[in-house]
Amino acid sequence: MCGIVGYVGFRDAEPILLEGLRRLEYRGYDSAGLATLHGTRLHLRKRAGRIQDLTRHVRDRPAPGSIGISHTRWATHGPANDTNAHPHVGGNGLVAVVHNGVIENYAILRRQLEAEGVLFTSDTDTEVIAQLIARNLRTVSGDRDWGDLPCGDLIEAVSDTLDLLKGTYGLAVVSPHYPDVVIGARLGSPLVLGIGEGEHYLASDPGALVGLADKVVYLKDRQLCVLTRGEWHILDQERSRVQASIHEIEWEVADADKGVFEHYMLKEIYEQPEALENALRGRLSDEEASAHFGGLNLDTQALRRVERIILTACGTSYHAALVGEYLIEEFARIPVEVEYASEFRYRNPPIDRNTIVIAITQSGETADTLAALRESKRKGHPTLALCNVVGSTIARETDGGVYLHAGPEIGVASTKAFTNQVAVLTMLALHFGRMRHLSALQGAQMVRELRGVPDAVRQALHCHDSVRRVAERYGHANNFLYLGRQYHYPVALEGALKLKEISYIHAEGYPAAEMKHGPIALVDVDTPSVFLMPRGPIFDKVMSNLEEVKARGGPVIAVACEGDEEVAARADEVIYVPEVPEYLQPLVTVVPLQLLAYHIAVLRDCDVDKPRNLAKSVTVE
Ligand code: AGP
């Protein structure tokens, strides 16, 4: 998704705008640009390609000034080229705009402006916003009293423009006629205001502000913000000033750097033990033999009345939800349905009265998941979110929830967020279970076992060398199968997704027993099958499935418990993980699959942290 950074202060804006964009690179983009104001002159620099292309451009043509806006574009309207890169200007430089989102009625607005003689230079919907603001600035009534706000006419021109737009936006606006002001506005696409000393920032997510501002304000839909060097104001839809709550950014600069790792993804795979410790911290109670959460905002009676749970999510978070289904049904005996958010938002299923809807999301900004939640709220159901980004839209719009505390996840391929989601779902299952059938003894045992998870994952990381060997042996394959049963069926899906999204190899995840209903026709000597087969109640069944594949000449890579000689004797390659209780096995068996995808992608020289066509947070439908 696109990235936005804005700055107004006493320092040169250009390096701050560029560094902020570098922090947002992981979101995926195909062009970048910036605009600064120096006195009443607008300096516009933009380039297709990477941020280093833009950096080289401004090295040759610096953009002076201590106020500006910048943007990384993920093309929606028009190809990735210099012209379509943001910022876009309106009125021959009267305003400059950067925008995240999609303006659905841009074509008709563009025709109206062209009929008025406006000449467009780009194919984008964003240029329509810039041209509208410029036109409105020329015709602004000027009869509204804006008090001591420093740019009432510009606010009015922006506000009148937003009233014409259909779709979503997170945008920032500057104008040489108001050389000390940055205006921001949001509807459906996140925008956060960073508070400094004599300087203020705007960004599409707090990750860009790490190390710059530790206090932030998350704009809400239909709010405007007005930033100058000494002040910031939030205006509501009626353009009246409103009070806003100030949040602290939890993350440190070190969190947003790769450190000794070659890629963010590898760093985040290795951060999992620490991230899990953060997820568990303060939530496991020996005394209560249970887990507890501070932010569910649903009282015990309300939770006790729950008769059905719907988990809704996308991608990797959907796979975590599938693990959650097994966990909650096993330990709390509450029926669970798992829904792809993109389907759930339109399917309109009959939902029983005592149903709660839980969204699972790393970013807290996924458009489909947000829409599914809003649909559930419209029907009057309590909603919760398991989310990694404090203050994100989904975190703020649900009735309550549980933060993942995984730290910033920069790599597009989700890893530590997945394991933290599964850990939180395990604690939720324990929490709900102890309100129903789980005894204190059972609860105490689960608390002890959960406390051991970070070390078990630390131990699972010891498989790294084996995985690298497997990657070298099978990394050339063009098709993979991932097979698991029960708790490992979702892990099979997750392993397949990891491989697909960063190495571009076709991979399918299946319940292992499902193979005989068709997919086994895919098995041949060039199609490795990854079997997830730690010891458990149906180990022998999975072993039979493995034999079926072997009998057809398919190479088998098995993930098994340390020292399992029986598996080693049958599989072509075995990757060992520590033995843990069955319900905790997804947390350790996913680790070799993450590493396998990583190493195959590196061997195939893929862009591991910014895979083609993908974005970290999908904030459009
Ligand atoms: C996972 O590796 C992918 N990047 C993607 O499937 C992701 O899980 C999905 O887009 C959901 O994102 P969210 O967790 O931020 O809602």
Side-chain angles (χ1 to χ4, degrees), residues 314-317 361-363 366 412-414 421 497-498 501 618:
C314 302
T316 284
S317 299
T361 172
Q362 188 285 131
S363 63
T366 302
V412 166
S414 188
Q421 286 165 347
L497 175 61
K498 287 281 98 44
E501 65 177 329
V618 185

Side-chain angles (χ1 to χ4, degrees), residues 184 281 610:
R281 184 170 296 113
K610 298 187 290 295

Side-chain angles (χ1 to χ4, degrees), residues 219-522:
L219 260 68
K220 294 179 180 166
D221 277 349
R222 301 193 186 283
Q223 286 186 339
L224 272 182
C225 65
V226 179
L227 312 184
T228 65
R229 289 172 178 77
E231 299 173 345
W232 56 274
H233 304 282
I234 305 288
L235 308 181
D236 63 13
Q237 191 170 353
E238 285 65 47
R239 305 310 167 223
S240 306
R241 286 190 226 190
V242 293
Q243 292 303 314
S245 48
I246 296 174
H247 297 260
E248 299 279 335
I249 291 187
E250 285 183 344
W251 301 335
E252 305 295 331
V253 173
D255 293 334
D257 291 324
K258 284 185 280 197
V260 299
F261 294 92
E262 187 184 353
H263 297 102
Y264 283 111
M265 181 181 177
L266 188 59
K267 176 188 176 210
E268 288 150 11
I269 290 172
Y270 272 84
E271 281 179 336
Q272 290 181 114
E274 180 192 347
L276 285 162
E277 284 163 351
N278 293 337
L280 299 175
R281 184 170 296 113
R283 292 169 168 167
L284 292 174
S285 166
D286 295 305
E287 185 186 350
E288 295 169 41
S290 185
H292 55 80
F293 306 94
L296 292 184
N297 299 340
L298 291 174
D299 62 32
T300 309
Q301 288 70 32
L303 288 173
R304 188 67 188 81
R305 282 194 299 274
V306 169
E307 293 172 358
R308 180 175 296 279
I309 294 174
I310 291 176
L311 302 177
T312 187
C314 302
T316 284
S317 299
Y318 174 82
H319 300 150
L322 288 173
V323 179
E325 178 178 20
Y326 284 94
L327 288 162
I328 295 169
E329 292 192 344
E330 173 171 355
F331 294 108
R333 311 303 300 158
I334 301 173
V336 176
E337 284 166 46
V338 180
E339 296 271 2
Y340 275 117
S342 54
E343 288 297 302
F344 184 58
R345 65 184 289 191
Y346 293 116
R347 198 162 70 79
N348 189 27
I351 304 180
D352 301 334
R353 196 174 39 256
N354 292 326
T355 299
I356 60 169
V357 177
I358 303 177
I360 300 176
T361 172
Q362 188 285 131
S363 63
E365 301 297 348
T366 302
D368 287 323
T369 308
L370 177 58
L373 268 180
R374 287 174 172 170
E375 184 63 13
S376 305
K377 288 183 75 170
R378 231 169 265 127
K379 293 182 161 72
H381 294 285
T383 56
L384 299 177
L386 274 52
C387 178
N388 194 40
V389 180
V390 174
S392 58
T393 304
I394 289 175
R396 285 184 290 111
E397 293 202 7
T398 44
D399 299 311
V402 183
Y403 280 121
L404 302 177
H405 296 318
E409 188 175 71
I410 309 294
V412 166
S414 188
T415 51
K416 62 178 181 174
F418 173 79
T419 40
N420 271 35
Q421 286 165 347
V422 171
V424 170
L425 284 161
T426 309
M427 289 191 285
L428 265 179
L430 171 58
H431 181 79
F432 281 120
R434 287 282 290 125
M435 295 174 72
R436 290 169 171 76
H437 319 284
L438 283 181
S439 70
L441 286 178
Q442 289 169 307
Q445 181 178 339
M446 286 182 72
V447 166
R448 280 195 305 279
E449 290 164 347
L450 272 162
R451 289 197 199 286
V453 161
D455 278 343
V457 172
R458 212 166 262 121
Q459 203 177 322
L461 286 163
H462 294 162
C463 71
H464 203 150
D465 291 340
S466 313
V467 171
R468 195 184 280 112
R469 184 186 70 246
V470 171
E472 283 156 6
R473 180 175 177 186
Y474 292 108
H476 62 280
N478 292 317
N479 296 285
F480 273 75
L481 291 169
Y482 285 74
L483 305 165
R485 294 175 77 142
Q486 299 290 300
Y487 280 104
H488 293 291
Y489 162 47
V491 181
L493 296 177
E494 175 58 11
L497 175 61
K498 287 281 98 44
L499 188 68
K500 277 182 273 202
E501 65 177 329
I502 64 171
S503 70
Y504 316 146
I505 294 174
H506 174 249
E508 304 241 18
Y510 276 104
E514 193 57 22
M515 285 297 289
K516 55 184 176 292
H517 300 288
I520 202 163
L522 295 173

Side-chain angles (χ1 to χ4, degrees), residues 19-201:
E19 177 55 24
L21 292 187
R22 286 187 198 96
R23 293 277 175 75
L24 298 177
E25 270 202 292
Y26 69 92
R27 296 163 65 96
Y29 69 101
D30 44 44
S31 59
L34 58 85
T36 60
L37 295 177
H38 188 236
T40 57
R41 277 205 60 198
L42 177 73
H43 298 270
L44 186 66
R45 307 285 185 271
K46 50 188 192 173
R47 273 287 179 276
R50 315 306 290 175
I51 291 168
Q52 53 264 41
D53 300 312
L54 176 63
T55 304
R56 275 195 292 275
H57 180 44
V58 296
R59 194 176 301 132
D60 300 337
R61 290 190 62 213
S66 59
I67 172 172
I69 55 179
S70 63
H71 186 265
T72 48
R73 177 176 181 251
W74 194 67
T76 52
H77 296 81
N81 57 32
D82 295 358
T83 308
N84 288 335
H86 300 205
H88 286 285
V89 297
N92 299 319
L94 186 55
V95 294
V97 177
V98 293
H99 162 237
N100 286 355
V102 176
I103 304 304
E104 293 165 4
N105 64 332
Y106 86 98
I108 189 169
L109 293 171
R110 179 173 175 138
R111 284 196 295 275
Q112 288 167 355
L113 287 164
E114 287 172 331
E116 295 169 14
V118 174
L119 295 177
F120 282 81
T121 57
S122 80
D123 312 311
T124 68
D125 54 347
T126 304
E127 188 182 355
V128 170
I129 301 173
Q131 297 290 6
L132 278 173
I133 294 172
R135 183 197 67 179
N136 292 339
L137 194 53
R138 290 199 186 94
T139 57
V140 72
S141 63
D143 57 11
R144 174 165 174 171
D145 174 14
W146 293 97
D148 58 353
L149 278 173
C151 56
D153 289 355
L154 183 59
I155 296 171
E156 186 168 335
V158 171
S159 187
D160 293 349
T161 299
L162 300 180
D163 293 343
L164 299 172
L165 304 182
K166 289 186 176 60
T168 59
Y169 55 78
L171 59 85
V173 183
V174 291
S175 167
H177 288 221
Y178 302 87
D180 301 308
V181 176
V182 176
I183 288 184
R186 85 154 268 172
L187 176 59
S189 199
L191 210 56
V192 58
L193 149 60
I195 301 169
E197 293 293 326
E199 54 189 358
H200 292 105
Y201 307 86

